[in-house]
Amino acid sequence: MVSKPGSPELGFFLPNTEGAEIHETVLPLENENTIVKNFPNSFLKTDLESKLREKGVTKVVVAGMMTHMCIDATVRAAVDLGFETTLIEDACATKELSYQERKIPAEQVHYSFVSALDGMYANVISTEKFLQQNN
């Protein structure tokens, strides 16, 4: 996580804090792998790539938060590593940002990053369309 020391978000994602807990509705099954990451890019200094390659995975689907950090970094890394990548845009979230006293609303941040990834880096689609294609 790239944050300034003392930033509120830094402590939220530390191990054994509420921000690092897996919500009960998506707890991994006993036979599922879990990957602990410490950087926005889910492939950086993790065994995610090797686990996917071991299983012969060539396509990845990305969802989560935050669009402007982890989603962006992970999608770009996945493509750089040769994975065909789908981004479920309405299954991602982000927050309002600010730059030089300008506030950028979360929705604008989200769609700016999603639109930049669409096509060149990922097939960006809605949850509904994804489910229709995979039934």
Side-chain angles (χ1 to χ4, degrees), residues 22-29 32:
I22 300 173
H23 193 275
E24 64 186 39
T25 60
V26 291
L27 283 172
L29 302 174
E32 287 183 309

Side-chain angles (χ1 to χ4, degrees), residues 11-62:
F12 184 73
F13 294 110
L14 291 174
N16 303 314
T17 66
E18 181 184 357
E21 291 178 15
I22 300 173
H23 193 275
E24 64 186 39
T25 60
V26 291
L27 283 172
L29 302 174
E30 283 185 37
N31 63 341
E32 287 183 309
N33 291 313
T34 57
I35 308 291
V36 176
K37 69 183 198 77
N38 296 299
F39 301 96
N41 171 357
S42 297
F43 292 94
L44 183 62
K45 297 187 180 183
T46 70
D47 60 353
L48 177 58
E49 181 185 7
S50 64
K51 295 281 186 190
L52 294 173
R53 303 261 187 234
E54 283 171 16
K55 296 181 184 301
V57 173
T58 59
K59 299 177 182 181
V60 295
V61 178
V62 179

Side-chain angles (χ1 to χ4, degrees), residues 48 53 73 76 113 122 132:
L48 177 58
R53 303 261 187 234
R76 290 172 188 271
F113 277 84
Q132 288 172 354

Side-chain angles (χ1 to χ4, degrees), residues 43-126:
F43 292 94
L44 183 62
K45 297 187 180 183
T46 70
D47 60 353
L48 177 58
E49 181 185 7
S50 64
K51 295 281 186 190
L52 294 173
R53 303 261 187 234
E54 283 171 16
K55 296 181 184 301
V57 173
T58 59
K59 299 177 182 181
V60 295
V61 178
V62 179
M65 57 184 299
M66 291 190 291
T67 311
H68 72 283
M69 289 291 290
C70 299
I71 299 302
D72 182 61
T74 298
V75 165
R76 290 172 188 271
V79 172
D80 288 347
L81 292 169
F83 292 99
E84 183 180 325
T85 307
T86 297
L87 174 61
I88 311 297
E89 63 91 4
D90 58 348
C92 297
T94 196
K95 65 178 189 167
E96 175 183 90
L97 297 178
S98 62
Y99 176 71
Q100 294 185 353
E101 299 181 27
R102 289 185 176 152
K103 299 283 186 199
I104 301 96
E107 183 177 33
Q108 190 175 353
V109 172
H110 175 75
Y111 285 111
S112 293
F113 277 84
V114 167
S115 64
L117 294 171
D118 189 28
M120 178 71 120
Y121 281 95
N123 175 31
V124 178
I125 60 175
S126 68

